Amino acid sequence: MKNQDKTELFEKMAVPAAVRQLIIPTIISSLITIVYNLADTYFVGMLNDPIQNAAVTLVAPLMLAFNAVNNLFGAGTSSMMSRALGRHEHDMVKRCSVIGFYCTVFCSAMFSLLSILFRPGLLALLGAEESTMAATGAYMQWTVCCGAVPAILNVVMAYMVRSEGATFHASIGTISGCVLNMILDPIFILPWGLDMGAAGAGLATFLGNTLACCYFFVLLFVRRGKTYVSVSPKMFSFDKTILLGIFAVGIPACIQNLLNVTSMTLLNNFAASFGSDVVASMGIAQKINMVPLNLFFGMFQGILPLVGYTYASRNYRRMKETVLYSMKLGICCVAVVSVGYLVFAGALVGMFMDNEAIVGYGSHFLRGMCLQLPFMCVDFLAVGVFQATGMGNKALLFAVLRKIVFEIPALFILNKIFPLYGMPYAQVTAEVLLAGIAGFVLVRLFRKLETRI
C-alpha cells in the first residue's frame, strides 16, 4: 500500500497544489456529466416534440431521489473513510466500505421494486397528465424501474474510491458511463436510429450506468492490495459504530435530497398547470443551470477527503486554508458563468428546441435561476464541510432551512404574486438568505477549532 503517497497529498503538499490535484479530475468528470445530462434534453429536443421533452423533465425529481441513497451511503461512508484515514485506522476504512457497498445494493434494489409496484401513482404524483403519461412512463421504465441499482451504485463506489484521494479513478469510472450514454442517445432517440424518443434516452442512461459499475468492479479487482476500498462479503457485519457514523452524516444528506425532490416536484406541478410548453422550457432551463452547479459540486466533492482527513488529524489550519481557497475559486468561476447566462439566455435555450414560446419561457427561467449561483456556492461548501467532519446535524439544519423554511414558501408566494414568472426566483431567495447563515456558521466553526490548537 502506497501510504506515503496519501500522506504526501493529505499532510505535506501545499494546499493550492493538493486542491488542484483533487479537484481537476472531479471537475473534468463533472464537465462530462454536464454534457451527458444535457444530451438527453438535446437529442430529445431535436424531435421538436414538447411531450417527449416534458417526459424527461417530469421524471427528473424521481431520478434526483437517487441522490437520497447516494448521499446516505456515499457521503456517509466516504466521510467515515476519510476520517478513519486521518486517524490511520486502515482496517476501519475497509469495514466502512464493505458496509456502505452492501447497504447501497439493498436500498437501491428496494427503490427499484417500489417504483415498479407504485408506478401509476408515481406518474400522477410527478405531474404526468393524459398527454404525457405514456412518454413519461417509458422513460421512467429504463431510468428508474430497471436503472436504479446501477445508477445509485456507481455513484456510491465513486465516493468510496475518492475518499482515499483516488479522484482520477473515480472520475474515469463516471466518465466511461457518460460517454457510452452520449454515444447511444442519438442512436436510440432519433428517427434515423431506433426512433424510441424519451424511452431511448432512458435505455441509453441505463446502459451507461451499468458500464460505470463494471469499471469500478474491475478497478477494485486490479488494485486489490493497493486500496483500502473493499467489497468482500467476508468483511460484512452490522457494526453499530460504523452504521451510526455513516447515518450521522448520511441521513441528513439523504433528507436534504428528499427535500430537493419535494421542491422540484412542486415546481414541476406548478409549471404543468401552465401547459407542456412551460414544463419543457423549465426542464431545459434547469438542465442548462446544472452546468455551473455540477462544476462547483465536483470541485467541492474533490476537496472533501482532504477536509475530512485534516479535521480527523487535527490539522485545523490546513483545513481552514483548504476551505477558503476553494470558496474563492468557486465563487469566481460561477460569477463569470452567471453573467454569461444573463446575457445569452435566449441563445442557450434555443440550442435545445427551435420553438419560440419555449425559448421565451426558458430564457426568463434561466435568468432567474442563474442569480442564485454565487450564493449557492457558499451554501454547498458549508454543507460539504459539515459532511466531511461528521457534523450531520448542521447539514440537516441547512437542508430544512433551504427548502422548508425558505424555498417552498417562497415558491407559493412568488407564484401567487407573479403567476408563472415568479417561480424561478424562489431558489434565489432561499440561497441568498442561506449564504448569510453559512458564512456566519463557518466563521464560528473555525474560531472554535482554532482554540483547540
Side-chain angles (χ1 to χ4, degrees):
M1 184 73 65
K2 298 181 179 180
N3 297 325
Q4 67 276 13
D5 293 342
K6 294 181 174 61
T7 301
E8 173 70 23
L9 173 65
F10 288 124
E11 298 181 1
K12 300 177 182 179
M13 188 180 294
V15 166
V19 169
R20 287 194 296 270
Q21 182 168 326
L22 287 169
I23 70 172
I24 287 175
T26 58
I27 288 177
I28 293 173
S29 173
S30 293
L31 285 170
I32 300 296
T33 303
I34 290 164
V35 178
Y36 142 70
N37 284 331
L38 293 174
D40 283 359
T41 303
Y42 178 77
F43 288 112
V44 172
M46 288 179 68
L47 299 173
N48 277 320
D49 184 349
I51 290 176
Q52 296 292 325
N53 219 302
V56 176
T57 301
L58 291 172
V59 178
L62 201 54
M63 296 179 69
L64 184 62
F66 289 170
N67 289 335
V69 184
N70 293 343
N71 280 322
L72 176 58
F73 296 110
T77 304
S78 65
S79 176
M80 282 285 289
M81 291 170 67
S82 294
R83 283 180 281 134
L85 278 173
R87 297 188 299 268
H88 302 289
E89 299 174 355
H90 300 143
D91 184 64
M92 171 70 80
V93 179
K94 290 184 178 180
R95 289 189 288 123
C96 287
S97 62
V98 171
I99 291 173
F101 174 81
Y102 286 102
C103 287
T104 300
V105 172
F106 175 78
C107 289
S108 57
M110 290 301 298
F111 195 116
S112 179
L113 178 62
L114 291 173
S115 69
I116 294 171
L117 294 176
F118 299 102
R119 178 174 168 175
L122 280 173
L123 289 171
L125 182 63
L126 292 168
E129 299 176 342
E130 185 177 354
S131 61
T132 57
M133 187 69 71
T136 305
Y139 185 67
M140 177 180 159
Q141 174 69 31
W142 285 111
T143 55
V144 181
C145 298
C146 297
V149 174
I152 294 170
L153 188 59
N154 89 78
V155 174
V156 172
M157 293 183 77
Y159 263 107
M160 294 194 297
V161 170
R162 195 183 297 121
S163 69
E164 59 178 2
T167 55
F168 174 78
H169 289 291
S171 299
I172 291 296
T174 303
I175 289 170
S176 64
C178 294
V179 170
L180 178 63
N181 189 359
M182 288 186 287
I183 292 172
L184 296 178
D185 260 345
I187 298 173
F188 290 168
I189 295 170
L190 299 178
W192 59 261
L194 298 180
D195 195 19
M196 296 174 65
L203 176 57
T205 299
F206 166 72
L207 294 175
N209 288 328
T210 301
L211 175 65
C213 284
C214 292
Y215 173 86
F216 285 117
F217 286 124
V218 172
L219 174 69
L220 295 183
F221 177 77
V222 171
R223 286 175 56 105
R224 63 192 185 281
K226 297 180 181 180
T227 177
Y228 296 122
V229 180
S230 174
V231 296
S232 171
K234 295 179 181 179
M235 297 188 69
F236 180 81
S237 65
F238 288 102
D239 188 305
K240 183 179 178 180
T241 301
I242 293 176
L243 285 171
L244 289 176
I246 291 174
F247 291 154
V249 173
I251 288 177
C254 174
I255 293 173
Q256 177 182 344
N257 278 280
L258 290 175
L259 292 175
N260 289 340
V261 172
T262 302
S263 66
M264 182 178 283
T265 303
L266 281 173
L267 184 62
N268 284 343
N269 274 274
F270 275 112
S273 67
F274 295 97
S276 60
D277 281 0
V278 173
V279 175
S281 59
M282 181 67 76
I284 290 172
Q286 287 172 336
K287 286 291 181 73
I288 296 173
N289 199 49
M290 286 300 294
V291 173
L293 291 180
N294 277 343
L295 278 176
F296 64 72
F297 182 75
M299 178 188 299
F300 297 151
Q301 285 299 307
I303 69 164
L304 292 191
L306 180 57
V307 173
Y309 188 101
T310 51
Y311 176 78
S313 61
R314 303 176 68 86
N315 192 347
Y316 302 130
R317 287 195 178 94
R318 185 173 176 84
M319 173 187 167
K320 180 179 178 180
E321 188 179 350
T322 299
V323 172
L324 292 178
Y325 178 79
S326 302
M327 183 180 293
K328 293 174 185 176
L329 190 61
I331 290 175
C332 290
C333 292
V334 298
V336 172
V337 175
S338 296
V339 172
Y341 279 7
L342 287 170
V343 176
F344 301 108
L348 290 169
V349 175
M351 291 171 58
F352 292 88
M353 187 169 289
D354 185 15
N355 183 303
E356 185 176 349
I358 288 177
V359 170
Y361 290 134
S363 300
H364 177 83
F365 295 152
L366 182 59
R367 289 191 176 101
M369 291 174 183
C370 76
L371 296 176
Q372 70 182 302
L373 296 176
F375 305 100
M376 186 176 278
C377 186
V378 178
D379 302 340
F380 272 33
L381 180 58
V383 172
V385 170
F386 302 147
Q387 291 177 348
T389 56
M391 300 178 187
N393 57 333
K394 287 186 172 64
L396 177 59
L397 174 62
F398 268 56
V400 172
L401 287 174
R402 171 182 281 117
K403 296 299 178 183
I404 296 179
V405 177
F406 297 146
E407 185 178 321
I408 292 177
L411 180 60
F412 279 92
I413 293 169
L414 291 173
N415 189 59
K416 182 70 174 179
I417 299 173
F418 308 104
L420 176 62
Y421 294 102
M423 290 189 295
Y425 295 94
Q427 285 182 314
V428 181
T429 303
E431 297 303 337
V432 170
L433 295 171
L434 202 60
I437 298 172
F440 174 76
V441 172
L442 285 176
V443 168
R444 287 196 62 184
L445 171 64
F446 284 118
R447 283 179 179 172
K448 182 178 180 181
L449 292 176
E450 286 169 356
T451 63
R452 302 180 184 177
I453 298 176

